[in-house]
Amino acid sequence: MLIYDIWFLFIYMFFLGNLIFVSKNKHLFVVLLSLEFIVLSIFFFFFVLLIFIDYDMYMLMVFLVFSVCEGSLGLSILVSMIRSYGNDYFQSFSML
Amino acid sequence: MCFNSLFFLFFFMLINFFFLVYFIMNGLSVFFEWENVTFNSMSIVMSILLDWMSLLFMMFVSLISSVVIFYSKSYMNSELNLNRFIILVLMFVFSMVLLIISPNLISILLGWDGLGLISYCLVIYYQNLKSYNAGMLTALSNRIGDVMILMVICWVMNYGSWNYIFYFDFMKNDYVMFIISFMIIIAAMTKSAQIPFSSWLPAAMAAPTPVSALVHSSTLVTAGVYLLIRFNYLLIDMFFFKVLLFLSILTMFMSGISANYEFDLKKIIALSTLSQLGLMMSILSLGFPDIAFFHLLTHSMFKALLFMCAGVIIHMMNDIQDIRYMGGLSLYIPLTSLCLNISNLSLCGIPFLSGFYSKDLILEMVSFNSFNLMVFILFYLSTGLTVFYTFRLIMYVMINDFNLMMIYNLYDEDYIMLNSMFVLLFMSLLSGSFLSWFIFSYPYMIYLPFNLKLMVIYVSILGSILGFMVSNMSIYSLNKLLMSYNLSSFLCLMWFMPNLSTYGLSYIYLNFSQILFKNIDMGWSEIYSGKGIFNILKNYSVFYNVYQMNNFKIYLFSFILYFMILFIFFFI
């Protein structure tokens, strides 16, 4: 809605990703997807930022590698959870 | 231990006897004094007074205690700690001797307190619930007397020393002496179990039988009478002496009636002791101290003998004390029943046994001097009641049929117990005449009308006929017995005085503490501590649990919330 700059898209994507992350859903997979969405928004913002610094994209590659590792870690946790519990329902965590 | 103490006490008795004869023949009395401290005109001295009264009493006490200790060698031979028992009895005898020889109130207090304490230890000797209750009743009743003597010590300090015998002739109308006489009379009443304090004597029969023979027949309960005999010159004109007369003849009458309803052998003998104590106290309060002393001595002889025979019978009946199970014993235990019969008849006042001399002298003095009609009637009625319960006892124990088992073998060849009973038998036959020739330097001149003289025999015959008739009662003999249930229970339970002394005094406090317990201990203090705090903690932790049992994501949502607040405040 509020699009003055391309910069506001980043804020908007980041914020929405966080919102999905903290929302109460049934599946763990949704949480992982929201983490990927946050990563994507940061990737986009990083890209726009690096254009203003003389097109130097190497840092972006490093970031991409690390984010992919993180995604695969999340997926492996999901797989192990399904293997042990049979589902990925998010019911057993509490404040304590 | 028993043999040693037997010989020691017998030897002590012989020493006393020789000194007694010498002292009476020469009219001598010896006063030893050891001055401890003299502090600002108040002198604390330890004194010993040896005159004929104290020597005579010491002789009788040491004779009875030596015989009783020898008797308890056989009576309590299954007792593991017999030495402890003998030592307690010896300490008792020591306290009694200390009481007898002291003209000084502080050594009287030592002896008096020692008597009370050691009689408590002896009463609770069998450690069961009944002995504990009896011991508590005994100790607390005697404690009142101890308190009274302590206060007398306090008041006598006005006179400068505690040797009371020096002040009698000079201070008779003093206010201090009035207070002292009142307290001394109350102390003697608690020790000798007169009417307000009489509930401990039947209850103290929970003690072993040698203890009853020594303590509750001859020594402890006569300590009060002895104290009043010593204080007699002070107390003769006082008002409270007349109160003591009234209470002691009521004691005599009440215990005579209660003994007729009793079926426990030792309780009957205890109530007869109480009746004779009332007799001693009443003749003392009528103004004849030497007759009271005479009756004290003869009574101690045959009453100790009676208790010892009761001990033999109880052992033989396999520790049963109920006379309804006994009967026909005169056929099987001739020697013991000889002793029992002689002591019972001596108690009744059958002519020329030892009890006759003292009892008949008392009754003739009462008839000779002009006293109250009530005094006269109650004296003769109590004498008749004595014969009544004595003959009832003899009928139940010796003459009616044996009621315990079908097959029985009764024997009394225990010569240790029999020898000790024979010593007392000899003394209870002869001590009446011996003492009457010995201690009265001139005989009492009494002349009475013919029927008044025979009044004793009339009431005795009446009592014996009634005793014979009452012992033949069976369960279906009188159908109307239950109609007098209230009167019977009043007369049987000692006019309800034990209930007054025990339950009546503690009822208010027990009730009050029950109210406190129910309302506070189990009521309000549960809310303000204990259960209430527990409930508070439980409710709060339930609340916290509900508060904290939520999804993890709520916690994470607070981050977003914070971000939104930042965004709103800093970017707009």
Side-chain angles (χ1 to χ4, degrees):
Chain A
M1 288 66 148
L2 264 111
I3 312 180
Y4 296 135
D5 266 338
I6 199 81
W7 187 56
F8 274 104
L9 178 63
F10 157 66
I11 295 282
Y12 194 53
M13 273 174 71
F14 187 75
F15 184 72
L16 277 180
N18 272 308
L19 199 62
I20 299 296
F21 180 69
V22 304
S23 295
K24 175 174 182 268
N25 2 61
K26 249 197 319 191
H27 297 277
L28 188 66
F29 196 50
V30 177
V31 174
L32 293 176
L33 279 181
S34 70
L35 280 176
E36 290 306 313
F37 194 69
I38 290 170
V39 160
L40 195 61
S41 75
I42 295 179
F43 183 77
F44 171 65
F45 176 65
F46 206 10
F47 175 69
V48 170
L49 181 69
L50 286 176
I51 284 179
F52 289 120
I53 309 177
D54 271 342
Y55 303 101
D56 212 347
M57 300 286 176
Y58 299 111
M59 204 55 203
L60 187 68
M61 278 297 111
V62 173
F63 173 74
L64 193 62
V65 165
F66 276 112
S67 67
V68 164
C69 291
E70 167 212 329
S72 61
L73 260 180
L75 277 176
S76 63
I77 288 177
L78 178 76
V79 166
S80 73
M81 191 166 165
I82 290 202
R83 280 235 177 146
S84 58
Y85 288 105
N87 51 19
D88 61 345
Y89 290 157
F90 204 72
Q91 288 165 356
S92 54
F93 299 165
S94 73
M95 183 81 143
L96 305 167
Chain B
M1 188 79 177
C2 295
F3 269 127
N4 294 340
S5 41
L6 162 73
F7 286 126
F8 171 69
L9 282 168
F10 201 76
F11 182 61
F12 187 59
M13 179 208 86
L14 287 176
I15 292 179
N16 280 333
F17 178 62
F18 289 132
F19 274 116
L20 168 74
V21 171
Y22 184 71
F23 275 32
I24 284 191
M25 286 322 223
N26 295 325
L28 209 55
S29 85
V30 173
F31 192 86
F32 294 103
E33 204 176 58
W34 172 42
E35 181 168 315
N36 263 336
V37 175
T38 306
F39 178 73
N40 273 352
S41 83
M42 188 78 217
S43 45
I44 298 181
V45 295
M46 172 72 194
S47 328
I48 293 179
L49 170 69
L50 295 174
D51 64 345
W52 67 271
M53 253 200 303
S54 41
L55 281 175
L56 188 55
F57 204 9
M58 272 203 298
M59 177 183 124
F60 271 66
V61 163
S62 50
L63 175 67
I64 295 180
S65 58
S66 69
V67 162
V68 161
I69 289 179
F70 188 53
Y71 172 87
S72 70
K73 176 178 163 64
S74 158
Y75 188 82
M76 303 194 60
N77 61 356
S78 58
E79 170 78 35
L80 286 177
N81 301 314
L82 186 57
N83 282 336
R84 183 199 293 173
F85 182 74
I86 300 296
I87 289 176
L88 276 174
V89 173
L90 284 175
M91 277 166 58
F92 180 84
V93 173
F94 172 67
S95 313
M96 189 70 197
V97 164
L98 191 59
L99 178 75
I100 291 172
I101 59 178
S102 59
N104 192 2
L105 268 171
I106 293 195
S107 45
I108 280 187
L109 179 72
L110 287 175
W112 193 274
D113 268 342
L115 285 181
L117 174 67
I118 298 179
S119 68
Y120 172 69
C121 292
L122 285 171
V123 165
I124 61 170
Y125 195 76
Y126 296 146
Q127 293 152 3
N128 48 17
L129 187 61
K130 194 168 170 204
S131 296
Y132 286 152
N133 291 335
M136 194 49 70
L137 193 51
T138 303
L140 292 179
S141 299
N142 281 331
R143 205 69 198 131
I144 300 179
D146 297 346
V147 164
M148 287 293 153
I149 292 205
L150 275 172
M151 294 209 288
V152 166
I153 287 180
C154 180
W155 277 94
V156 149
M157 271 176 80
N158 282 325
Y159 292 128
S161 86
W162 285 292
N163 291 327
Y164 56 86
I165 53 173
F166 298 137
Y167 300 117
F168 286 158
D169 298 324
F170 300 109
M171 302 287 182
K172 283 193 87 160
N173 292 324
D174 217 0
Y175 177 64
V176 174
M177 277 302 181
F178 177 71
I179 303 251
I180 289 176
S181 64
F182 172 65
M183 291 183 192
I184 286 283
I185 287 179
I186 294 208
M189 274 166 63
T190 63
K191 197 65 117 185
S192 294
Q194 302 303 306
I195 276 270
F197 311 107
S198 64
S199 48
W200 68 267
L201 191 54
M205 291 299 126
T209 310
V211 169
S212 297
L214 180 60
V215 171
H216 301 125
S217 70
S218 359
T219 45
L220 179 72
V221 294
T222 53
V225 185
Y226 183 72
L227 188 73
L228 285 186
I229 290 175
R230 282 287 189 208
F231 270 78
N232 192 58
Y233 293 111
L234 168 66
L235 298 169
I236 274 202
D237 301 325
M238 297 284 178
F239 168 67
F240 290 112
F241 229 30
K242 301 179 178 54
V243 174
L244 179 66
L245 168 69
F246 174 64
L247 291 175
S248 57
I249 55 180
L250 275 182
T251 307
M252 193 170 62
F253 183 59
M254 169 204 76
S255 52
I257 290 187
S258 299
N260 282 314
Y261 282 95
E262 273 291 338
F263 285 105
D264 185 357
L265 179 63
K266 282 177 74 171
K267 276 223 170 70
I268 294 181
I269 306 180
L271 287 167
S272 94
T273 305
L274 191 55
S275 175
Q276 298 301 308
L277 276 176
L279 183 71
M280 281 181 233
M281 278 288 198
S282 52
I283 197 66
L284 177 66
S285 56
L286 286 174
F288 306 108
D290 35 3
I291 306 184
F293 192 56
F294 183 27
H295 190 61
L296 196 157
L297 295 171
T298 57
H299 166 259
S300 65
M301 279 296 152
F302 57 73
K303 199 45 73 74
L305 179 62
L306 192 56
F307 267 112
M308 290 181 5
C309 299
V312 171
I313 293 179
I314 290 172
H315 254 202
M316 220 176 53
M317 307 285 296
N318 211 4
D319 299 337
I320 291 180
Q321 295 181 340
D322 201 338
I323 58 175
R324 291 172 287 200
Y325 288 109
M326 307 175 191
L329 294 184
S330 58
L331 298 171
Y332 298 100
I333 46 168
L335 291 175
T336 308
S337 63
L338 172 76
C339 299
L340 190 75
N341 275 330
I342 286 184
S343 59
N344 267 330
L345 295 177
S346 180
L347 172 65
C348 295
I350 299 294
F352 308 118
L353 296 174
S354 68
F356 163 75
Y357 287 94
S358 50
K359 237 180 148 182
D360 207 54
L361 186 57
I362 289 177
L363 286 170
E364 284 179 357
M365 287 305 280
V366 165
S367 321
F368 184 49
N369 295 306
S370 52
F371 289 121
N372 228 346
L373 183 64
M374 182 180 83
V375 167
F376 178 80
I377 286 183
L378 284 181
F379 261 95
Y380 277 96
L381 261 182
S382 310
T383 312
L385 282 171
T386 303
V387 182
F388 186 6
Y389 62 70
T390 303
F391 269 79
R392 173 178 174 266
L393 182 68
I394 292 180
M395 289 293 294
Y396 264 104
V397 169
M398 302 220 191
I399 300 182
N400 287 340
D401 296 327
F402 189 67
N403 279 333
L404 186 61
M405 287 180 280
M406 296 284 287
I407 300 178
Y408 46 89
N409 175 22
L410 308 169
Y411 71 102
D412 69 339
E413 290 133 25
D414 192 350
Y415 280 108
I416 293 183
M417 292 204 266
L418 275 180
N419 282 336
S420 33
M421 288 195 308
F422 283 155
V423 174
L424 280 187
L425 179 71
F426 175 75
M427 281 306 287
S428 99
L429 282 173
L430 295 183
S431 67
S433 39
F434 155 68
L435 282 175
S436 75
W437 296 326
F438 212 42
I439 61 180
F440 294 115
S441 36
Y442 52 91
Y444 281 95
M445 264 326 278
I446 302 171
Y447 48 93
L448 293 170
F450 180 67
N451 275 334
L452 196 54
K453 186 101 180 163
L454 290 185
M455 187 73 161
V456 185
I457 299 189
Y458 293 156
V459 288
S460 302
I461 292 180
L462 193 61
S464 62
I465 292 177
L466 283 174
F468 170 72
M469 282 168 39
V470 130
S471 66
N472 283 335
M473 273 175 29
S474 47
I475 196 78
Y476 40 77
S477 57
L478 282 178
N479 284 330
K480 296 203 183 352
L481 190 61
L482 276 182
M483 287 181 63
S484 65
Y485 180 65
N486 285 338
L487 182 66
S488 295
S489 56
F490 174 68
L491 295 174
C492 164
L493 295 172
M494 287 174 66
W495 295 356
F496 301 131
M497 273 185 302
N499 286 344
L500 273 179
S501 309
T502 54
Y503 186 63
L505 286 179
S506 54
Y507 165 70
I508 293 181
Y509 305 105
L510 286 176
N511 211 11
F512 179 60
S513 66
Q514 190 202 24
I515 291 176
L516 279 180
F517 184 66
K518 269 171 61 173
N519 286 330
I520 296 184
D521 266 25
M522 301 205 290
W524 288 105
S525 87
E526 285 290 334
I527 286 200
Y528 292 126
S529 64
K531 198 93 171 85
I533 291 183
F534 172 71
N535 276 338
I536 287 175
L537 283 175
K538 183 166 70 86
N539 289 337
Y540 281 0
S541 61
V542 163
F543 175 66
Y544 286 144
N545 211 15
V546 166
Y547 182 64
Q548 287 168 350
M549 184 72 72
N550 47 17
N551 212 335
F552 184 59
K553 295 292 189 69
I554 306 267
Y555 173 64
L556 288 176
F557 183 71
S558 62
F559 288 108
I560 300 293
L561 203 60
Y562 183 59
F563 180 71
M564 277 168 41
I565 290 172
L566 266 183
F567 185 70
I568 290 174
F569 278 136
F570 287 114
F571 291 111
I572 293 202

